[in-house]
């Protein structure tokens, strides 16, 4: 098993392939297989990659970087807003992904935590809370994951939150990010004018132009966002994986 071999990135691609089920199109299957083929080719030629691309490949494969090495890198000081939190578990290991957004930099930072069994996570990240401090990004050509070692409560309103008004704009930026780093597992998006709709058993978000993107099959709070929106356009933060949107 890839997970047992400490290869969480490729394992995630296979899980995504299995999750497509009978609803997966030929394009969906071909893209996932293409991602795996790209990983195999890149691994064979890893010594020829640039330092940033090489580090990203190792991270995708599951090789960790020491916390001390990350903290020794130059940091980015800002006022950070907690945009979304995702929690889950694989066997007895619980994980948490926390998305932050810098007020001045407008950059996202992804904090990833792990806890074994019923042990609590090291720190609490309340949704919509803000913190002041310095974030240190992992090496890479399109860095997302980061360490926020000494956050201080922001103590003031967060300003400058801007989002995508259309899926076309969102997808264009996603493609640019993917061109820089093909190992993106998820892409943070703040949408400002979308409506949740249901067509049979399928659930979607629709933008102002009428374009629809399906919600992630694991998402279970559709009726909650439908009630909040009242059928009208709403704003929300989510992850986009190129296939589905997962509201957070």
């Amino acid at each position: 098993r890839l997970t047992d071999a400490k290869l969480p990135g490729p394992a995630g691609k296979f899980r995504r392939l299995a999750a497509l089920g009978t609803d997966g199109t030929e394009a969906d299957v071909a893209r996932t297989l293409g991602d795996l083929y790209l990983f195999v080719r890149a691994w064979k030629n890893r010594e020829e990659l640039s330092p940033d691309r090489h580090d990203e490949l190792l991270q995708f494969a599951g090789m960790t970087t020491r916390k001390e090495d990350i903290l020794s890198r130059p940091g980015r000081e800002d006022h950070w807003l907690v945009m979304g939190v995702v929690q889950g578990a694989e066997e007895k290991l619980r994980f948490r992904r926390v998305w932050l957004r810098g007020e001045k930099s407008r950059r996202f930072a992804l904090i990833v935590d792990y806890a074994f069994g019923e042990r609590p996570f090291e720190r609490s990240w309340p949704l919509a809370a803000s913190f002041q401090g310095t974030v240190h990004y992992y090496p890479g050509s399109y860095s997302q994951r980061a360490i926020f070692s000494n956050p201080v409560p922001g103590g003031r309103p967060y300003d400058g939150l801007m989002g995508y008004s259309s899926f076309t704009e969102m997808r264009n930026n996603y493609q640019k990010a993917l061109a820089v780093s093909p190992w993106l597992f998820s892409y943070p998006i703040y949408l400002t004018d979308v409506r949740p709709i249901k067509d049979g058993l399928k659930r979607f978000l629709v933008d102002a132009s009428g374009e629809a993107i399906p919600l992630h099959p694991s998402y279970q709070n559709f009726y909650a966002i439908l009630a909040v929106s009242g059928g009208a356009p709403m704003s929300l933060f989510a992850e986009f994986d190129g296939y589905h949107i997962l509201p957070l």
Side-chain angles (χ1 to χ4, degrees):
R1 290 173 46 185
L2 289 172
T3 301
D4 295 334
K6 308 298 184 183
L7 293 172
K13 294 294 184 181
F14 274 105
R15 284 194 296 269
R16 182 174 296 177
L17 189 63
L20 292 174
T22 57
D23 294 329
T25 65
E26 291 181 1
D28 293 334
V29 174
R31 175 181 170 179
T32 305
L33 292 177
D35 289 342
L36 290 167
Y37 176 74
L38 179 63
F39 168 74
V40 173
R41 288 293 302 272
W43 185 261
K44 289 181 177 180
N45 298 284
R46 59 189 181 278
E47 300 304 327
E48 301 175 15
L49 299 175
S50 67
D52 283 343
R53 289 286 176 90
H54 185 268
D55 288 337
E56 285 177 336
L57 181 65
L58 295 182
Q59 291 172 37
F60 178 78
M63 298 183 183
T64 58
T65 305
R66 293 191 311 166
K67 182 177 180 179
E68 295 77 11
D69 293 338
I70 303 300
L71 294 176
S72 68
R73 294 168 55 85
R76 182 177 292 272
E77 197 279 335
D78 209 335
H79 183 209
W80 302 90
L81 179 68
V82 181
M83 297 288 292
V85 180
V86 185
Q87 296 191 45
E90 292 184 357
E91 297 180 351
K92 294 184 179 181
L93 184 64
R94 294 160 48 235
F95 65 84
R96 180 180 64 179
R97 299 196 305 274
V98 181
W99 286 103
L100 310 175
R101 184 183 185 274
E103 184 179 56
K104 294 182 298 185
S105 64
R106 299 183 180 179
R107 281 193 62 177
F108 285 101
L110 175 61
I111 310 299
V112 181
D113 298 319
Y114 296 96
F116 186 78
E118 298 300 320
R119 293 182 181 179
F121 289 105
E122 182 178 353
R123 188 184 302 276
S124 175
W125 296 101
L127 192 63
S130 66
F131 296 89
Q132 193 76 33
T134 302
V135 159
H136 297 264
Y137 285 95
Y138 279 64
S141 52
Y142 190 85
S143 299
Q144 288 185 314
R145 189 175 176 183
I147 293 176
F148 197 173
S149 57
N150 296 300
V152 177
R156 63 177 177 84
Y158 183 92
D159 191 22
L161 188 58
M162 301 174 61
Y164 297 113
S165 59
S166 72
F167 289 149
T168 298
E169 181 186 7
M170 179 268 290
R171 189 178 289 105
N172 287 341
N173 279 352
Y174 171 73
Q175 291 171 349
K176 292 177 183 177
L178 202 61
V180 174
S181 175
W183 314 116
L184 289 181
F185 179 76
S186 59
Y187 183 71
I189 54 173
Y190 181 61
L191 305 169
T192 60
D193 192 10
V194 293
R195 293 182 297 109
I197 65 168
K198 184 179 179 181
D199 182 11
L201 297 177
K202 298 181 180 180
R203 298 160 185 182
F204 303 85
L205 288 181
V206 178
D207 68 5
S209 70
E211 182 181 356
I213 295 181
L215 294 175
H216 196 279
S218 67
Y219 186 64
Q220 300 179 351
N221 295 319
F222 173 79
Y223 291 105
I225 62 173
L226 183 62
V228 170
S229 70
M234 65 181 302
S235 298
L236 58 79
F237 179 76
E239 290 180 338
F240 180 60
D241 64 3
Y243 303 91
H244 307 93
I245 291 176
L246 177 64
L248 306 183

